[in-house]
Amino acid sequence: MSPLPDAASLGAWSLLVTSFVIGLSGAVMPGPVLAVTVTHAARQGVMAGPLVVLGHAILEAALLAALVLGLAPVLTQPTVAGIIGGVGALILVWLAWGMFKALPGLSLELEQGKTRAAGPVRDGILLSLANPYWSLWWATVGLSLTALALETPLGWWGLVVFYLGHISADFVWYLFVSLVVAKGRRFINDKAYRGLVGVCAGFLFFFAIYFGWFAWEQLGGA
């Protein structure tokens, strides 16, 4: 039995809630986007999370359009998935190394000013591209949800509702994460802050190794 509801029974609100719940189940899982969101929120405040999600949303809108135009069979090919994983591993190493190099000079007092939108938005795009499981999720589960949305009585509007529900889940979760981190800054000194950034950079290195192994397997090296 399919875990997804029947398309004919879905109205706008049902599709919105379905998309939100499925999207939230993925958003709450730890990953590179969470690590970078924590780092940006500690430096730049509550808006860091929504800005990271904005970059993520821009890329997801482009990928959703590409899936509708027939990109899914390409993304599910092992060679393509392996290349995405390999490039993703390199991007994560680059981001993590930059964070490690910046550690000695990091200070909450120096960085509590105006949020620099380019950094979080850029990282939202890069970290989505870096994650091979993101593109594979969209090529499989995401494509199924896309087809479901298009087959509802809403037609093409169903695709808009699905996208809004899905991206709202990311927005709500990462806004919550940013709020918790940013409001806790008064309890964090510079030493603890550097430790937090160091841990986040370590997570990025871990995911780089994980994605690299994924690429090795997909390309037939294992």
Side-chain angles (χ1 to χ4, degrees), residues 78-192:
T79 300
V80 175
I83 291 172
I84 291 173
V87 173
L90 293 176
I91 291 174
L92 290 181
V93 168
W94 172 66
L95 289 172
W97 179 242
M99 291 165 68
F100 272 128
K101 285 200 304 181
L103 284 179
L106 289 181
S107 171
L108 285 170
E109 292 302 321
L110 293 175
E111 301 194 50
Q112 284 182 357
K114 184 178 179 181
T115 300
R116 296 166 302 204
V121 174
R122 177 206 65 190
D123 288 350
I125 294 172
L126 285 177
L127 289 170
S128 298
L129 284 172
N131 189 345
Y133 295 103
W134 173 78
S135 54
L136 288 176
W137 185 92
W138 272 99
T140 52
V141 178
L143 186 64
S144 298
L145 287 167
T146 300
L148 179 77
L150 289 172
E151 290 180 14
T152 64
L154 299 169
W156 283 97
W157 281 108
L159 200 60
V160 175
V161 173
F162 156 61
Y163 176 76
L164 291 176
H166 177 80
I167 206 63
S168 293
D170 291 323
F171 178 83
V172 167
W173 173 246
Y174 286 106
L175 177 61
F176 171 74
V177 169
S178 292
L179 190 62
V180 170
V181 173
K183 293 305 180 183
R185 283 190 300 180
R186 71 191 69 169
F187 308 110
I188 303 175
N189 58 29
D190 286 347
K191 183 177 180 181

Side-chain angles (χ1 to χ4, degrees), residues 11-118:
W13 284 108
S14 298
L15 179 59
L16 188 71
V17 171
T18 298
S19 304
F20 181 88
V21 171
I22 293 176
L24 188 62
S25 67
V28 299
M29 294 299 291
V33 176
L34 177 62
V36 167
T37 299
V38 169
T39 302
H40 281 300
R43 287 192 307 217
Q44 300 169 339
V46 175
M47 284 305 297
L51 288 171
V52 170
V53 173
L54 175 60
H56 183 70
I58 291 170
L59 199 61
E60 288 203 327
L63 182 59
L64 183 60
L67 289 177
V68 172
L69 295 174
L71 184 64
V74 176
L75 290 178
T76 52
Q77 291 180 10
T79 300
V80 175
I83 291 172
I84 291 173
V87 173
L90 293 176
I91 291 174
L92 290 181
V93 168
W94 172 66
L95 289 172
W97 179 242
M99 291 165 68
F100 272 128
K101 285 200 304 181
L103 284 179
L106 289 181
S107 171
L108 285 170
E109 292 302 321
L110 293 175
E111 301 194 50
Q112 284 182 357
K114 184 178 179 181
T115 300
R116 296 166 302 204

